[in-house]
Amino acid sequence: MARVVVDVMLKPEILDPQGQAVQRALPRLGFQGISDVRQGKRFELEVDGPVDEAALARIHELAETFLANTVIEDFVVKVEDAEGSEKVAGAAK
Amino acid sequence: MARVVVDVMLKPEILDPQGQAVQRALPRLGFQGISDVRQGKRFELEVDGPVDEAALARIHELAETFLANTVIEDFVVKVEDAEGSEKVAGAAK
């Protein structure tokens, strides 16, 4: 079983009030030196069978039609390795 | 300017109704072969200055005290490289 991650973030030109709220709170809480925060969604999909090109194409379609609103959001499909590091497998910006 | 990512996910033993809703909808929408979906939050932090050990320690503390509810959530701190791939720099499980 392999894990594929879909990260969905608001497009850079779309206002992100959640992220802004976090960013403005940081200095007040004693954390300096963070100039911007954006908040988005992360989906972890457990895929049966191999994560080959066909599976990734299917997941890309799934992300495009169902997980992200591509009018206002970008998404990135990533494959997670055993250590938890992630490699980009596809994106829509 | 470097980007550090904090992924916040519900702990595995905590029920994730959002993820379940997505997972149950998939076969109905024509996507087979996804056995589990978990939904969480992703924070992208733009860090002024170098992302050294001290900066990562500060971000770890920030994530622990402010971005994640560590009673029910795990978080992972990752450093993003130029291609958008991510390397784990710290985690709390």
Side-chain angles (χ1 to χ4, degrees):
Chain A
M1 199 123 84
R3 177 176 291 173
V4 175
V5 173
V6 180
D7 288 325
V8 179
M9 301 296 292
L10 284 171
K11 286 180 190 284
E13 64 270 26
I14 305 282
L15 190 70
D16 174 9
Q18 277 187 306
Q20 277 188 352
V22 173
Q23 197 248 315
R24 283 184 196 156
L26 292 180
R28 221 165 52 224
L29 293 159
F31 296 103
Q32 315 293 334
I34 310 263
S35 60
D36 192 28
V37 178
R38 309 268 306 167
Q39 184 177 341
K41 283 176 279 188
R42 174 186 169 88
F43 296 91
E44 292 182 352
L45 312 177
E46 302 295 333
V47 179
D48 300 333
V51 180
D52 50 15
E53 223 146 280
L56 285 172
R58 244 161 22 103
I59 289 169
H60 194 277
E61 195 196 330
L62 182 165
E64 195 159 28
T65 53
F66 185 50
L67 300 181
N69 174 356
T70 52
V71 177
I72 56 165
E73 290 170 329
D74 292 330
F75 67 89
V76 183
V77 178
K78 288 171 180 164
V79 180
E80 199 176 273
D81 67 18
E83 293 98 58
S85 292
E86 292 167 13
K87 252 205 153 64
V88 175
K93 307 243 171 206
Chain B
M1 198 123 88
R3 177 176 291 171
V4 176
V5 173
V6 179
D7 288 324
V8 178
M9 302 295 295
L10 285 171
K11 285 180 189 283
E13 64 269 27
I14 305 283
L15 191 69
D16 174 10
Q18 278 187 305
Q20 277 188 353
V22 173
Q23 196 248 316
R24 283 185 196 155
L26 292 179
R28 220 164 54 222
L29 294 159
F31 296 102
Q32 315 293 333
I34 311 264
S35 59
D36 192 27
V37 178
R38 309 273 299 169
Q39 184 177 343
K41 282 176 280 186
R42 172 186 171 87
F43 296 90
E44 292 182 352
L45 312 178
E46 302 295 334
V47 180
D48 299 333
V51 180
D52 50 14
E53 223 147 279
L56 286 172
R58 245 162 19 103
I59 289 169
H60 194 277
E61 195 197 330
L62 183 165
E64 195 160 27
T65 53
F66 185 49
L67 299 180
N69 173 355
T70 52
V71 177
I72 57 165
E73 289 169 331
D74 292 330
F75 67 88
V76 184
V77 178
K78 288 172 181 165
V79 181
E80 200 177 271
D81 67 18
E83 293 97 59
S85 290
E86 292 168 13
K87 253 206 153 64
V88 175
K93 308 243 171 208

